[in-house]
Amino acid sequence: EADIYQTPRYLVIGTGKKITLECSQTMGHDKMYWYQQDPGMELHLIHYSYGVNSTEKGDLSSESTVSRIRTEHFPLTLESARPSHTSQYLCASSELRDAGNEKLFFGSGTQLSVL
Amino acid sequence: LAKTTQPISMDSYEGQEVNITCSHNNIATNDYITWYQQFPSQGPRFIIQGYKTKVTNEVASLFIPADRKSSTLSLPRVSLSDTAVYYCLVGDIGATSGTYKYIFGTGTRLKVLA
């Protein structure tokens, strides 16, 4: 089983608050990802990182930011939460076998509700 | 945009074999094809991965034709607990980093009926 952890599991917060969603993995994977998923919809890639101090924006524009100071840690921050940020946020890391050959491991997700 | 196309939904009955086909016409030479399963309120879980021909594990088989422009996930004798969304995934190279990233498509919502 994958050792990738997301906290909190659920978060209800008021508009304008700053929040940080935590994601940690103990597998030593260099690559990590953040996806956003609304109920019944597909996953949208919002950020990814291919190593320490290297981050890229995904295909879905997001007001969130990420950092990668340590290999095992990939937090996502919203400076000022809004109701439109209400969604499930899924973190993943990948085991790189070869170029084009990766296996993604997902955390359980954070369900964010902004009131 | 996702590099894969799948049927939006499928229904099946318990005990039947289910085949879900995915199109990936622009698959790159290095790309592997990976399938994931997702239950509501959970992250996707790896099912099977392959590069060409046929791969089988304890839960599924994956068939990939010689041109690799499509693949078929086969679930033998499905049960109610196999009701989930199934995603087919191939890599996409990031424009600035040159590294692979993974864009999910719509997936196939499989409903298994009693």
Side-chain angles (χ1 to χ4, degrees):
Chain A
E1 289 297 318
D3 294 319
I4 180 164
Y5 307 100
Q6 289 186 246
T7 57
R9 184 74 176 89
Y10 302 95
L11 179 61
V12 181
I13 203 161
T15 297
K17 300 291 186 182
K18 177 180 179 179
I19 59 170
T20 296
L21 307 185
E22 301 289 348
C23 177
S24 296
Q25 51 97 2
T26 59
M27 297 171 282
H29 293 163
D30 285 327
K31 293 184 75 174
M32 297 187 73
Y33 304 81
W34 276 103
Y35 292 87
Q36 183 177 342
Q37 185 178 36
D38 292 328
M41 304 298 287
E42 66 223 63
L43 291 84
H44 292 286
L45 179 66
I46 51 176
H47 298 282
Y48 65 106
S49 166
Y50 46 94
V52 171
N53 294 325
S54 297
T55 61
E56 297 279 343
K57 289 189 178 298
D59 285 46
L60 179 68
S61 177
S62 174
E63 294 168 348
S64 59
T65 59
V66 293
S67 62
R68 190 87 183 278
I69 299 172
R70 303 196 317 264
T71 297
E72 62 270 21
H73 196 212
F74 190 39
L76 181 145
T77 299
L78 278 165
E79 290 294 332
S80 180
R82 295 206 303 270
S84 61
H85 297 139
T86 294
S87 189
Q88 178 169 233
Y89 292 83
L90 289 158
C91 178
S93 69
S94 69
E95 175 187 63
L96 177 61
R97 298 167 174 179
D98 293 301
N101 181 8
E102 297 182 29
K103 179 178 177 180
L104 298 176
F105 296 88
F106 281 85
S108 298
T110 293
Q111 180 59 54
L112 173 65
S113 296
V114 183
L115 306 177
Chain B
L1 292 178
K3 295 176 64 177
T4 60
T5 304
Q6 305 173 231
I8 296 295
S9 64
M10 295 179 70
D11 288 346
S12 180
Y13 288 95
E14 280 191 290
Q16 289 188 331
E17 177 185 76
V18 170
N19 295 309
I20 306 174
T21 297
C22 177
S23 297
H24 27 80
N25 292 318
N26 298 317
I27 189 169
T29 303
N30 290 339
D31 281 346
Y32 279 66
I33 300 146
T34 312
W35 285 79
Y36 293 85
Q37 175 192 55
Q38 186 182 28
F39 297 113
S41 300
Q42 294 184 24
R45 183 181 69 168
F46 173 91
I47 301 174
I48 197 166
Q49 183 182 67
Y51 184 80
K52 61 181 179 180
T53 62
K54 177 184 176 181
V55 179
T56 297
N57 62 21
E58 63 276 9
V59 298
S61 294
L62 179 59
F63 300 91
I64 305 168
D67 67 5
R68 301 196 336 114
K69 293 184 182 299
S70 67
S71 59
T72 299
L73 174 72
S74 181
L75 303 172
R77 297 183 298 280
V78 294
S79 64
L80 296 175
S81 62
D82 292 317
T83 293
V85 180
Y86 292 82
Y87 294 96
C88 160
L89 208 60
V90 298
D92 186 27
I93 295 180
T96 55
S97 68
T99 62
Y100 274 85
K101 58 180 179 178
Y102 290 87
I103 309 298
F104 281 76
T106 57
T108 297
R109 193 172 301 273
L110 172 67
K111 185 175 182 180
V112 180
L113 306 169

